[in-house]
């Protein structure tokens, strides 16, 4: 069991340096803590990061994703195809627009959408494809955009977890249609809460600005007009100050995550992971070219372990190691069952969604922490043999 000398190891922890903290303090002392100059600086810096594309920030990634759907023209009568394995916000925002979520099953290796299943789900009502890059791993972007071009559809990329990920050497967000990122506390780049939408045109940027602040357009000293319904989802300067500090270090943060992921693979493939291999635990794709290693997720062989995921996580907790669940299948939540979804509709998603576990992975982990995690996982597996 866990050593009393070792602190509990959570599955994630934000990595904030003293310079970032000082930047937040300066912002608080400036007297301007809501949306102001820091937000504008953050948006410019993000635009540069994404190759000069237009960027607007929001108070969270859910608002960002909903805004993207509305900018794409999604509304009642439309269908949006997405994955069952994501945070439920991915589909809740579809409902918020009045459109209908349509699920397609996932690839068992990448755990992202299976594009063959996506194409089979396209109907005359399909308006948008909404792929999710689970754990920061992009899907085949060439195939994705070839498919939408073939069917004349829009793409809203849920890249919430994919800041710094790439496709063929180009950053996710630096190309494509509408790309949504989250800066929530567990993301590689955090602003505590927040998100951004990457777009192409000033017209889209104006639309985004209206959507994040009650539909208001200002002019001059006292001019104000409202010609559409908006929300209240603007980012504050306090959050932007955190984001600026994180953006300056995102290369360093992601490099550290890569190093930790490499260590995990070496341990699981070595003597330390013998029992995990024997029981058939599934590791993530060993991709060090395109992913940002937002999470290190394993799929438990529950039939071999003789326990459910909760029991496994409880045992792991006994070793002083935390874990997360990302994600249960969305279509099996009560809200979505009420729309006619049920077990057996998306078997790959259901199997993975019942057994996937996120192991600790964050930039401030110590070099020896992966060994501690793998030893705990291996011992739990060994007890079942």
């Amino acid at each position: 069991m866990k050593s009393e000398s070792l602190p509990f190891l959570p599955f994630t922890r934000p990595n904030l340096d003293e310079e970032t903290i000082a930047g937040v303090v300066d912002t608080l002392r400036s007297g301007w803590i809501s949306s102001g100059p820091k937000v504008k600086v953050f948006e410019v810096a993000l635009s540069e990061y994404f190759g000069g594309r237009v960027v607007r920030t929001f108070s969270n990634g859910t608002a960002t994703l909903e805004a993207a759907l509305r900018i794409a023209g999604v509304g009642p009568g439309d269908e949006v195809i997405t994955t069952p394995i994501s945070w439920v916000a991915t589909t809740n925002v579809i409902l918020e627009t009045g459109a209908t979520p349509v699920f397609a099953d996932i690839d068992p290796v990448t755990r992202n959408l299976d594009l063959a299943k996506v194409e089979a789900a396209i109907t005359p009502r399909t308006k948008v494809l909404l792929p999710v890059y689970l754990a920061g791993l992009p899907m085949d972007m060439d195939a994705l955009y070839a498919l939408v071009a073939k069917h004349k559809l829009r793409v809203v990329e849920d890249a919430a977890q994919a800041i710094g990920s790439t496709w063929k050497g180009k950053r996710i967000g630096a190309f494509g249609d509408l790309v949504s990122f989250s800066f929530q506390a567990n993301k590689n780049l955090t602003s505590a809460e927040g998100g951004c939408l990457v777009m192409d045109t000033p017209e889209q940027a104006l639309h985004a600005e209206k959507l994040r602040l009650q539909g208001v357009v200002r002019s001059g000293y006292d001019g104000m007009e409202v010609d559409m319904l908006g929300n209240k989802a603007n980012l504050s300067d306090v959050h932007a100050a955190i984001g600026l500090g994180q953006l300056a270090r995102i290369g360093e943060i992601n490099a550290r995550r890569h190093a930790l992921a490499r260590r995990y693979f070496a341990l699981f493939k070595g003597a330390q992971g013998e029992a995990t291999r024997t029981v058939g635990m599934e590791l993530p794709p060993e991709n060090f070219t395109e992913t940002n290693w937002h999470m290190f997720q394993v799929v438990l062989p529950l039939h071999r372990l003789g326990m459910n995921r909760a029991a496994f996580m409880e045992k792991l907790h006994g070793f002083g190691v935390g874990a997360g669940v990302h994600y249960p299948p969305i279509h099996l939540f009560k809200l979505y069952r009420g729309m006619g979804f049920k077990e057996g509709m998306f078997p790959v998603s259901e199997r993975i969604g019942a057994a996937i576990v996120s192991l600790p992975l964050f930039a401030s982990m110590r070099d020896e922490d992966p060994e501690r995690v793998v030893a705990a996982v291996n011992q739990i597996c060994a007890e079942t043999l």
Side-chain angles (χ1 to χ4, degrees):
M1 304 303 283
K2 72 175 181 178
S3 168
E4 296 301 322
S5 64
L6 292 173
F8 184 80
L9 182 66
F11 94 89
T12 190
R13 180 184 291 134
N15 186 259
L16 301 173
D17 64 349
E18 290 302 320
E19 188 173 348
T20 299
I21 293 169
V24 172
V25 172
D26 288 345
T27 301
L28 292 171
R29 287 175 173 157
S30 74
W32 199 321
I33 60 175
S34 188
S35 299
K38 276 286 196 298
V39 167
K40 292 179 180 177
V41 172
F42 190 30
E43 289 177 344
V44 169
L46 286 166
S47 176
E48 292 173 356
Y49 185 79
F50 293 120
R53 296 187 74 193
V54 178
V55 177
R56 291 294 180 268
T57 54
F58 285 73
S59 58
N60 57 69
T62 302
T64 300
L65 198 58
E66 182 179 344
L69 289 172
R70 294 191 184 280
I71 291 169
V74 173
D78 295 327
E79 293 177 347
V80 178
I81 300 176
T82 192
T83 170
I85 300 299
S86 182
W87 178 232
V88 69
T90 299
T91 47
N92 284 354
V93 294
I94 299 171
L95 297 179
E96 290 285 357
T97 68
T100 300
V102 174
F103 294 108
D105 214 345
I106 62 174
D107 178 271
V109 176
T110 67
R111 305 163 190 171
N112 285 329
L113 276 170
D114 180 332
L115 285 178
K117 302 288 178 59
V118 169
E119 185 159 30
I122 293 173
T123 75
R125 294 175 59 193
T126 304
K127 188 72 169 279
V128 164
L129 299 191
L130 202 170
V132 176
Y133 308 143
L134 187 66
L137 177 65
M139 62 193 310
D140 184 328
M141 305 299 288
D142 294 341
L144 169 66
Y145 277 95
L147 180 63
V148 298
K150 174 181 175 182
H151 293 276
K152 297 180 173 59
L153 303 174
R154 297 293 300 272
V155 179
V156 170
E157 298 179 34
D158 186 344
Q161 302 174 2
I163 186 82
S165 296
T166 61
W167 175 253
K168 294 185 176 178
K170 198 168 186 180
R171 285 177 181 152
I172 297 299
F175 63 98
D177 197 346
L178 296 161
V179 189
S180 170
F181 291 88
S182 169
F183 303 144
Q184 190 263 347
N186 71 356
K187 300 301 188 289
N188 294 31
L189 185 159
T190 183
S191 58
E193 293 287 353
C196 78
L197 182 59
V198 186
M199 304 160 279
D200 282 321
T201 68
E203 291 76 21
Q204 290 174 331
L206 178 59
H207 197 170
E209 290 167 10
K210 291 181 181 180
L211 288 168
R212 73 182 178 185
L213 196 57
Q214 307 295 358
V216 169
V217 177
R218 297 182 183 274
S219 59
Y221 283 103
D222 66 347
M224 181 187 297
E225 186 56 86
V226 177
D227 61 4
M228 60 173 286
L229 185 63
N231 207 327
K232 179 68 168 68
N234 54 300
L235 191 72
S236 78
D237 266 25
V238 176
H239 292 88
I242 302 172
L244 280 164
Q246 291 272 287
L247 185 59
R249 300 175 56 235
I250 188 62
E252 165 197 336
I253 289 169
N254 283 351
R256 177 62 177 161
R257 287 173 171 271
H258 273 241
L260 291 164
R262 288 185 189 278
R263 183 63 180 150
Y264 267 130
F265 279 112
L267 291 165
F268 274 119
K269 291 179 176 182
Q272 302 94 331
E274 181 179 357
T276 67
R277 295 194 301 276
T278 301
V279 299
M281 182 173 291
E282 299 173 44
L283 299 180
E286 196 169 352
N287 185 312
F288 286 95
T289 303
E290 292 149 350
T291 186
N292 64 358
W293 287 107
H294 172 60
M295 293 185 287
F296 193 97
Q297 298 179 294
V298 298
V299 178
L300 306 175
L302 297 178
H303 61 292
R304 295 287 305 276
L305 293 176
M307 68 183 82
N308 61 24
R309 176 170 54 200
F312 178 90
M313 293 174 71
E314 183 177 11
K315 285 179 176 288
L316 199 59
H317 193 277
F319 285 94
V321 175
V325 175
H326 305 89
Y327 299 94
I330 296 172
H331 68 288
L332 298 184
F333 290 137
K334 185 180 292 186
L335 173 63
Y336 291 89
R337 286 178 183 269
M339 300 174 193
F341 296 108
K342 58 187 177 181
E343 284 94 346
M345 297 182 76
F346 310 104
V348 180
S349 296
E350 289 166 27
R351 180 184 71 82
I352 289 177
I356 198 164
V357 170
S358 302
L359 299 178
L361 181 62
F362 52 93
S364 59
M365 280 174 64
R366 301 174 307 166
D367 290 344
E368 59 268 31
D369 283 335
E371 188 162 4
R372 177 182 170 193
V373 175
V374 174
V377 172
N378 198 62
Q379 185 166 332
I380 296 169
C381 292
E383 291 170 358
T384 69
L385 298 176

